[in-house]
Short mmCIF file of all heavy atoms in Angstrom, two decimals:
data_model
loop_
_atom_site.label_atom_id
_atom_site.label_comp_id
_atom_site.label_asym_id
_atom_site.label_seq_id
_atom_site.Cartn_x
_atom_site.Cartn_y
_atom_site.Cartn_z
N PRO A 112 -8.88 10.95 -15.25
CA PRO A 112 -8.59 12.40 -15.15
C PRO A 112 -9.72 13.31 -14.90
O PRO A 112 -9.60 14.22 -14.22
CB PRO A 112 -7.86 12.68 -16.59
CG PRO A 112 -7.36 11.37 -17.08
CD PRO A 112 -8.29 10.32 -16.47
N MET A 142 -2.73 7.43 -17.57
CA MET A 142 -2.99 8.89 -17.74
C MET A 142 -2.67 9.71 -16.54
O MET A 142 -3.43 10.56 -16.02
CB MET A 142 -4.45 9.12 -18.19
CG MET A 142 -4.78 8.47 -19.51
SD MET A 142 -6.21 9.08 -20.17
CE MET A 142 -6.28 8.14 -21.63
N THR A 144 -1.86 12.28 -15.21
CA THR A 144 -1.65 13.65 -15.43
C THR A 144 -2.32 14.52 -14.36
O THR A 144 -2.28 15.79 -14.39
CB THR A 144 -2.31 14.16 -16.77
OG1 THR A 144 -3.69 13.63 -16.71
CG2 THR A 144 -1.65 13.56 -17.90
N PHE A 148 -2.42 19.14 -10.91
CA PHE A 148 -3.61 20.00 -10.38
C PHE A 148 -4.19 19.43 -9.12
O PHE A 148 -5.21 19.80 -8.81
CB PHE A 148 -4.58 20.39 -11.50
CG PHE A 148 -5.09 19.12 -12.18
CD1 PHE A 148 -6.27 18.50 -11.76
CD2 PHE A 148 -4.46 18.69 -13.45
CE1 PHE A 148 -6.74 17.37 -12.44
CE2 PHE A 148 -5.08 17.61 -14.10
CZ PHE A 148 -6.19 16.99 -13.65
N PRO B 110 -11.60 25.33 -21.86
CA PRO B 110 -12.05 24.45 -20.69
C PRO B 110 -10.93 23.91 -19.66
O PRO B 110 -9.78 23.99 -19.99
CB PRO B 110 -12.49 23.14 -21.53
CG PRO B 110 -12.79 23.64 -22.88
CD PRO B 110 -11.80 24.74 -23.08
N CYS B 111 -11.40 23.65 -18.47
CA CYS B 111 -10.51 23.21 -17.42
C CYS B 111 -10.18 21.68 -17.73
O CYS B 111 -10.85 21.10 -18.50
CB CYS B 111 -11.14 23.49 -15.98
SG CYS B 111 -12.46 22.24 -15.71
N PRO B 112 -9.27 21.15 -16.88
CA PRO B 112 -8.92 19.69 -17.10
C PRO B 112 -10.14 18.72 -16.89
O PRO B 112 -10.31 17.69 -17.70
CB PRO B 112 -7.87 19.38 -16.02
CG PRO B 112 -7.22 20.76 -15.81
CD PRO B 112 -8.32 21.77 -15.98
N MET B 113 -11.10 19.09 -15.96
CA MET B 113 -12.20 18.17 -15.75
C MET B 113 -13.10 18.25 -17.03
O MET B 113 -13.48 17.15 -17.52
CB MET B 113 -13.04 18.64 -14.55
CG MET B 113 -14.23 17.82 -14.35
SD MET B 113 -15.22 18.55 -12.97
CE MET B 113 -15.83 20.06 -13.62
N CYS B 114 -13.34 19.39 -17.54
CA CYS B 114 -14.22 19.53 -18.78
C CYS B 114 -13.48 18.97 -19.98
O CYS B 114 -14.14 18.19 -20.81
CB CYS B 114 -14.66 20.90 -19.02
SG CYS B 114 -15.72 21.56 -17.70
N ALA B 115 -12.18 19.14 -20.07
CA ALA B 115 -11.43 18.55 -21.19
C ALA B 115 -11.54 17.09 -21.25
O ALA B 115 -11.75 16.46 -22.36
CB ALA B 115 -9.96 19.00 -21.09
N ALA B 116 -11.38 16.47 -20.05
CA ALA B 116 -11.44 14.93 -19.99
C ALA B 116 -12.92 14.52 -20.25
O ALA B 116 -13.14 13.53 -20.90
CB ALA B 116 -11.07 14.50 -18.57
N ARG B 119 -13.67 14.42 -24.03
CA ARG B 119 -13.14 13.17 -24.62
C ARG B 119 -14.11 12.01 -24.17
O ARG B 119 -14.39 11.18 -25.01
CB ARG B 119 -11.73 12.80 -24.24
CG ARG B 119 -10.67 13.49 -25.15
CD ARG B 119 -11.06 13.41 -26.53
NE ARG B 119 -11.29 12.05 -27.13
CZ ARG B 119 -12.00 11.71 -28.14
NH1 ARG B 119 -12.65 12.66 -28.74
NH2 ARG B 119 -12.10 10.54 -28.51
N GLY B 136 -6.79 26.66 -17.66
CA GLY B 136 -7.04 26.07 -18.88
C GLY B 136 -6.17 24.79 -19.23
O GLY B 136 -5.04 24.69 -18.81
N ALA B 137 -6.83 23.82 -19.84
CA ALA B 137 -6.26 22.54 -20.06
C ALA B 137 -5.57 22.36 -21.40
O ALA B 137 -4.89 21.30 -21.61
CB ALA B 137 -7.39 21.47 -19.86
N PHE B 138 -5.67 23.30 -22.25
CA PHE B 138 -5.09 23.11 -23.60
C PHE B 138 -3.87 23.88 -23.96
O PHE B 138 -2.96 23.42 -24.60
CB PHE B 138 -6.15 23.42 -24.69
CG PHE B 138 -7.31 22.32 -24.63
CD1 PHE B 138 -8.48 22.56 -23.85
CD2 PHE B 138 -7.11 21.14 -25.29
CE1 PHE B 138 -9.39 21.57 -23.78
CE2 PHE B 138 -8.18 20.16 -25.17
CZ PHE B 138 -9.20 20.33 -24.51
N GLU B 139 -3.81 25.10 -23.56
CA GLU B 139 -2.75 25.97 -23.90
C GLU B 139 -2.19 26.75 -22.67
O GLU B 139 -1.19 27.48 -22.71
CB GLU B 139 -3.04 27.02 -24.96
CG GLU B 139 -4.21 27.94 -24.65
CD GLU B 139 -4.42 29.10 -25.60
OE1 GLU B 139 -3.42 29.70 -25.98
OE2 GLU B 139 -5.59 29.25 -25.97
N MET B 142 -2.74 24.66 -16.91
CA MET B 142 -2.99 23.27 -16.57
C MET B 142 -3.01 22.52 -17.92
O MET B 142 -3.88 21.56 -18.02
CB MET B 142 -4.12 22.99 -15.67
CG MET B 142 -3.94 23.63 -14.42
SD MET B 142 -5.16 23.02 -13.18
CE MET B 142 -4.55 23.86 -11.76
N ALA B 143 -2.15 22.76 -18.86
CA ALA B 143 -2.23 22.13 -20.16
C ALA B 143 -1.88 20.70 -20.07
O ALA B 143 -0.72 20.27 -20.46
CB ALA B 143 -1.37 22.86 -21.15
N THR B 144 -2.73 19.87 -19.42
CA THR B 144 -2.36 18.46 -19.18
C THR B 144 -3.36 17.65 -20.05
O THR B 144 -3.30 16.37 -19.94
CB THR B 144 -2.57 18.06 -17.76
OG1 THR B 144 -3.86 18.56 -17.30
CG2 THR B 144 -1.51 18.69 -16.88
N ALA B 145 -4.31 18.28 -20.68
CA ALA B 145 -5.34 17.51 -21.38
C ALA B 145 -4.93 16.83 -22.70
O ALA B 145 -5.54 15.85 -23.03
CB ALA B 145 -6.61 18.42 -21.73
N ASN B 146 -4.00 17.38 -23.25
CA ASN B 146 -3.59 16.83 -24.61
C ASN B 146 -3.36 15.39 -24.70
O ASN B 146 -3.73 14.74 -25.64
CB ASN B 146 -2.49 17.69 -25.30
CG ASN B 146 -2.93 19.11 -25.58
OD1 ASN B 146 -4.09 19.30 -25.75
ND2 ASN B 146 -2.04 19.96 -25.52
N PRO B 147 -2.56 14.83 -23.75
CA PRO B 147 -2.32 13.36 -23.80
C PRO B 147 -3.54 12.60 -23.89
O PRO B 147 -3.53 11.49 -24.46
CB PRO B 147 -1.55 13.08 -22.54
CG PRO B 147 -0.98 14.42 -22.07
CD PRO B 147 -2.01 15.41 -22.51
N PHE B 148 -4.61 13.05 -23.22
CA PHE B 148 -5.91 12.22 -23.29
C PHE B 148 -6.89 12.64 -24.22
O PHE B 148 -8.01 12.36 -24.22
CB PHE B 148 -6.45 11.75 -21.97
CG PHE B 148 -6.72 13.04 -21.04
CD1 PHE B 148 -7.93 13.63 -21.09
CD2 PHE B 148 -5.77 13.52 -20.14
CE1 PHE B 148 -8.19 14.69 -20.31
CE2 PHE B 148 -6.06 14.54 -19.23
CZ PHE B 148 -7.30 15.16 -19.38
N ALA B 149 -6.39 13.57 -25.13
CA ALA B 149 -7.37 14.05 -26.28
C ALA B 149 -6.75 14.08 -27.55
O ALA B 149 -6.75 15.16 -28.17
CB ALA B 149 -7.91 15.45 -25.85
N PRO B 150 -6.03 13.05 -28.04
CA PRO B 150 -5.31 13.07 -29.22
C PRO B 150 -6.21 13.18 -30.48
O PRO B 150 -5.77 13.55 -31.53
CB PRO B 150 -4.47 11.78 -29.22
CG PRO B 150 -5.24 10.85 -28.44
CD PRO B 150 -5.96 11.65 -27.50
N LEU B 152 -9.00 14.92 -30.71
CA LEU B 152 -9.90 16.20 -30.61
C LEU B 152 -9.18 17.25 -31.45
O LEU B 152 -8.00 17.58 -31.35
CB LEU B 152 -9.99 16.54 -29.19
CG LEU B 152 -10.96 17.66 -28.85
CD1 LEU B 152 -12.34 17.21 -29.08
CD2 LEU B 152 -10.78 18.17 -27.41
#
Side-chain angles (χ1 to χ4, degrees):
Chain A
M142 294 195 179
T144 54
F148 52 90
Chain B
C111 74
M113 177 182 71
C114 293
R119 276 316 303 152
F138 290 93
E139 57 170 313
M142 294 197 178
T144 54
N146 292 333
F148 52 90
L152 189 69

